[in-house]
Amino acid sequence: MSKFLLLGAFFAILVSSVLLSSPAYAQHHGGQAAPPISFGDRKVTVSTWLDPSDFNPAKSSTAKLNVRFFDSDTNINIDEVTYRVQIFSGETLLASQMFYDKDGELTVKVQPKSECTEKEVWRCTKYEGNKDPVVPSALESSSTSMPIIKGPIFDKPGPYTIKVAIIGATNPKTQTAQDIEFENTINIASQQTLSLPTMTGKTPVTVRSFQDDIENLQFAESSSTISFDVPFHWDHAEHVPLVRVDFEIPKSFASFQNVKAFKGTVNGVPLFAKDLIFDTYTNKDTNVLQFLVTGEELKTISKKVTDEHTMSVQITPDTSVQLKSNDVQFSNGYKATISYDPRYDSSKDVAFTLVFFDSSGALAKDIRYAYSIQDSKGKEFAVNTGRSGDLIGIPVPTGVDSRLITIPSKGDYTLQMYLVGRGLINFDQFVPASVKFNISETKATSADTKSDVKSDSVKPTKEIKTDKDAKKKDTKKDTKKDTKKDTKKKQTKPKSKSDAKSTSK
């Protein structure tokens, strides 16, 4: 009997035809995709991201660097890839190594080490892992073998350039006629300790900036408005994938104690609702207010600004909107609280926060889950089963997952979820639950509407079968932007290992 369940109607035959013609994608941040280039009769690209996206070398000793090679038109991974990965800080080479990954999605564990006395810094970097039997100069990356880089990499705040050359693809013995080269950037956040002044004193806040440090932080207590500046060259906005600033604010801060949602502006231009996320779950003593604006919106705003070198941001509680929240009970005793912002705007992206609790009521850290979205007619249009291989599922190291999901229009929908496993262990049976939600609230302000703030911002899929569906013909399906190529190999349950906490959020 197969212990892997087909995720309910999650993978119905209808899904494949829908997703092939009109994919809808869940989104996450912290990564960047290079412009696509030709590879035979395909357009291909490489995306790179760090896990966790908010990696802080002062607090964590390990991060995971992910490199994905895929067809930019179909969003399917190119398999059996040999990579050369180089990491730079400015013009200084920090690391250079070849890797091989069968599924086209390379994961490398990075352990930053600051001590280096070598004139050529790359000489301080060491590599560990299994050598690939077919490509002996490359380290193998798989669900059971993760290579390690130890050295002066991601050990300090700032931008790091990731240069990826594709040496071979589709066959481990076949090299490309010419290296296919891509270049992306990963930013390690800087950290500032600042304060918000009120009539009762100053409240300390920790600010993490993924670009330059913020300036001129102010707080207007009468309107509970946070304002700050970010040095930013608006004439280069089209080349910036995102701007992100996180504020860790004590839960005791009175001005935000009953706040559920925020609104804001950048240089007087209103932000989308999705640009401001308020996380009240992840940390015990602090809430996290996240300001995050992505590339397309930055380009739109850049056409309306007058100050070419500054991003001026104002963020204010939006008391007119209340987040919707539902509790979901799973049959294994686990529970999830699903919160979402019902405001709908032209971005079509809706912010969801999923908080998972185990049977004791504690945060279910290292949980893995999958989900799909159905419209009111039962038609699935978004599917995300996370990573491929044996350890499928979206990993949630903290037990709290925040993500943007593209919703095509206002209306009634169903979120279907499955608990897949925890840490490195799959559950014997995947545990389903669902919740209905509605997107029909007041339209939020956007970059195309007039400001109402006064001046004072899927991962890969894999088929899993139930006993009921095991006799049905297997179908392949492309799901969404995070979709990997379905493999034909029969899934096997990974060997039992002790839970290992992931460093990604």
Side-chain angles (χ1 to χ4, degrees):
M1 179 188 299
S2 171
K3 292 183 179 179
F4 294 96
L5 304 178
L6 178 67
L7 305 185
F10 194 24
F11 284 143
I13 295 176
L14 177 62
V15 179
S16 59
S17 60
V18 171
L19 295 173
L20 281 169
S21 61
S22 169
Y25 307 132
Q27 303 172 22
H28 56 84
H29 303 289
Q32 183 184 34
I37 62 175
S38 296
F39 176 55
D41 59 351
R42 293 182 281 195
K43 291 287 187 181
V44 296
T45 187
V46 160
S47 64
T48 56
W49 69 97
L50 204 60
D51 188 4
S53 61
D54 58 352
F55 173 67
N56 183 353
K59 293 184 177 180
S60 303
S61 60
T62 301
K64 293 177 183 177
L65 174 64
N66 300 276
V67 181
R68 180 183 175 222
F69 183 46
F70 62 101
D71 185 315
S72 61
D73 291 327
T74 65
N75 208 43
I76 296 176
N77 285 14
I78 311 298
D79 57 11
E80 301 192 81
V81 184
T82 303
Y83 307 81
R84 181 192 298 115
V85 178
Q86 294 180 309
I87 304 175
F88 292 80
S89 176
E91 299 297 322
T92 302
L93 177 64
L94 306 178
S96 181
Q97 176 62 37
M98 288 178 62
F99 301 94
Y100 171 77
D101 187 273
K102 184 176 180 179
D103 295 325
E105 188 165 312
L106 169 69
T107 301
V108 180
K109 184 182 294 184
V110 179
Q111 297 178 346
K113 306 290 182 183
S114 296
E115 304 82 9
C116 181
T117 58
E118 296 282 353
K119 184 177 181 180
E120 295 176 310
V121 180
W122 61 267
R123 295 184 181 277
C124 292
T125 303
K126 307 299 178 185
Y127 310 90
E128 298 178 6
N130 297 330
K131 290 187 176 181
D132 184 77
V134 180
V135 189
S137 57
L139 296 179
E140 178 188 29
S141 170
S142 68
S143 61
T144 58
S145 176
M146 186 182 298
I148 300 173
I149 300 178
K150 297 180 180 180
I153 304 163
F154 307 144
D155 60 322
K156 300 178 181 67
Y160 291 80
T161 301
I162 314 298
K163 294 185 178 181
V164 179
I166 304 301
I167 309 300
T170 70
N171 189 317
K173 296 182 180 180
T174 303
Q175 291 189 335
T176 55
Q178 184 176 355
D179 292 356
I180 308 172
E181 299 181 339
F182 301 89
E183 183 175 312
N184 287 331
T185 301
I186 287 178
N187 289 295
I188 301 299
S190 62
Q191 184 167 301
Q192 299 168 270
T193 301
L194 303 174
S195 61
L196 301 178
T198 65
M199 293 293 291
T200 58
K202 294 183 177 181
T203 299
V205 296
T206 298
V207 182
R208 290 175 51 75
S209 305
F210 288 76
Q211 280 72 31
D212 292 333
D213 286 349
I214 70 167
E215 301 172 347
N216 304 322
L217 177 65
Q218 299 180 32
F219 181 69
E221 190 171 11
S222 59
S223 60
S224 298
T225 299
I226 290 178
S227 62
F228 60 93
D229 295 334
V230 179
F232 189 77
H233 295 284
W234 284 104
D235 53 343
H236 295 157
E238 62 180 325
H239 304 298
V240 180
L242 61 86
V243 174
R244 175 178 171 182
V245 181
D246 292 355
F247 294 86
E248 290 189 17
I249 304 170
K251 291 184 183 291
S252 59
F253 186 58
S255 296
F256 291 169
Q257 280 189 341
N258 297 314
V259 174
K260 301 298 182 183
F262 288 82
K263 59 186 176 181
T265 63
V266 166
N267 292 49
V269 180
L271 293 167
F272 287 124
K274 69 179 180 63
D275 299 331
L276 299 167
I277 297 175
F278 197 45
D279 176 7
T280 61
Y281 292 98
T282 300
N283 299 330
K284 179 181 178 182
D285 299 319
T286 59
N287 297 324
V288 179
L289 174 58
Q290 183 184 93
F291 162 79
L292 192 152
V293 184
T294 52
E296 287 302 317
E297 192 174 357
L298 287 171
K299 286 191 288 185
T300 300
I301 296 173
S302 70
K303 300 174 183 177
K304 304 181 180 184
V305 301
T306 55
D307 187 336
E308 297 181 354
H309 303 292
T310 303
M311 177 181 290
S312 297
V313 183
Q314 293 186 352
I315 301 174
T316 305
D318 191 344
T319 56
S320 66
V321 175
Q322 291 294 322
L323 296 185
K324 302 285 183 149
S325 182
N326 293 282
D327 289 334
V328 179
Q329 192 73 41
F330 294 88
S331 60
N332 63 348
Y334 281 51
K335 187 181 79 170
T337 296
I338 315 300
S339 302
Y340 67 96
D341 190 330
R343 292 174 293 177
Y344 194 74
D345 51 42
S346 59
S347 76
K348 296 187 177 182
D349 291 331
V350 176
F352 285 80
T353 298
L354 299 90
V355 186
F356 296 93
F357 301 92
D358 61 23
S359 56
S360 70
L363 278 175
K365 297 182 178 181
D366 296 319
I367 195 71
R368 286 182 287 117
Y369 80 106
Y371 72 84
S372 73
I373 306 287
Q374 298 176 356
D375 64 18
S376 59
K377 297 180 180 179
K379 185 177 181 181
E380 288 176 311
F381 62 89
V383 180
N384 191 344
T385 60
R387 62 180 63 161
S388 68
D390 295 330
L391 290 177
I392 65 170
I394 304 164
V396 187
T398 64
V400 181
D401 188 31
S402 297
R403 61 182 51 245
L404 299 177
I405 301 179
T406 301
I407 303 296
S409 62
K410 294 182 180 181
D412 295 319
Y413 297 92
T414 299
L415 171 64
Q416 178 72 55
M417 296 174 294
Y418 288 80
L419 299 184
V420 175
R422 197 165 180 182
L424 298 176
I425 307 299
N426 285 331
F427 293 146
D428 289 337
Q429 290 188 333
F430 298 163
V431 189
S434 64
V435 61
K436 295 183 181 298
F437 65 94
N438 176 272
I439 302 296
S440 61
E441 295 282 323
T442 304
K443 185 179 179 67
T445 58
S446 72
D448 298 319
T449 62
K450 188 175 180 180
S451 173
D452 63 350
V453 179
K454 296 181 180 180
S455 180
D456 215 24
S457 340
V458 207
K459 267 278 177 169
T461 63
K462 190 120 177 177
E463 283 195 353
I464 312 170
K465 301 177 183 178
T466 58
D467 298 332
K468 179 178 179 180
D469 295 298
K471 297 179 182 179
K472 295 183 180 180
K473 182 178 180 180
D474 289 346
T475 58
K476 292 183 180 180
K477 44 207 68 75
D478 302 335
T479 57
K480 42 193 268 331
K481 196 167 187 176
D482 296 326
T483 305
K484 285 183 68 174
K485 181 177 179 180
D486 285 342
T487 59
K488 296 181 179 179
K489 292 184 67 177
K490 182 179 179 182
Q491 287 188 333
T492 58
K493 185 176 180 181
K495 297 178 181 179
S496 292
K497 297 181 182 179
S498 59
D499 286 2
K501 182 176 179 180
S502 167
T503 58
S504 65
K505 183 175 179 178

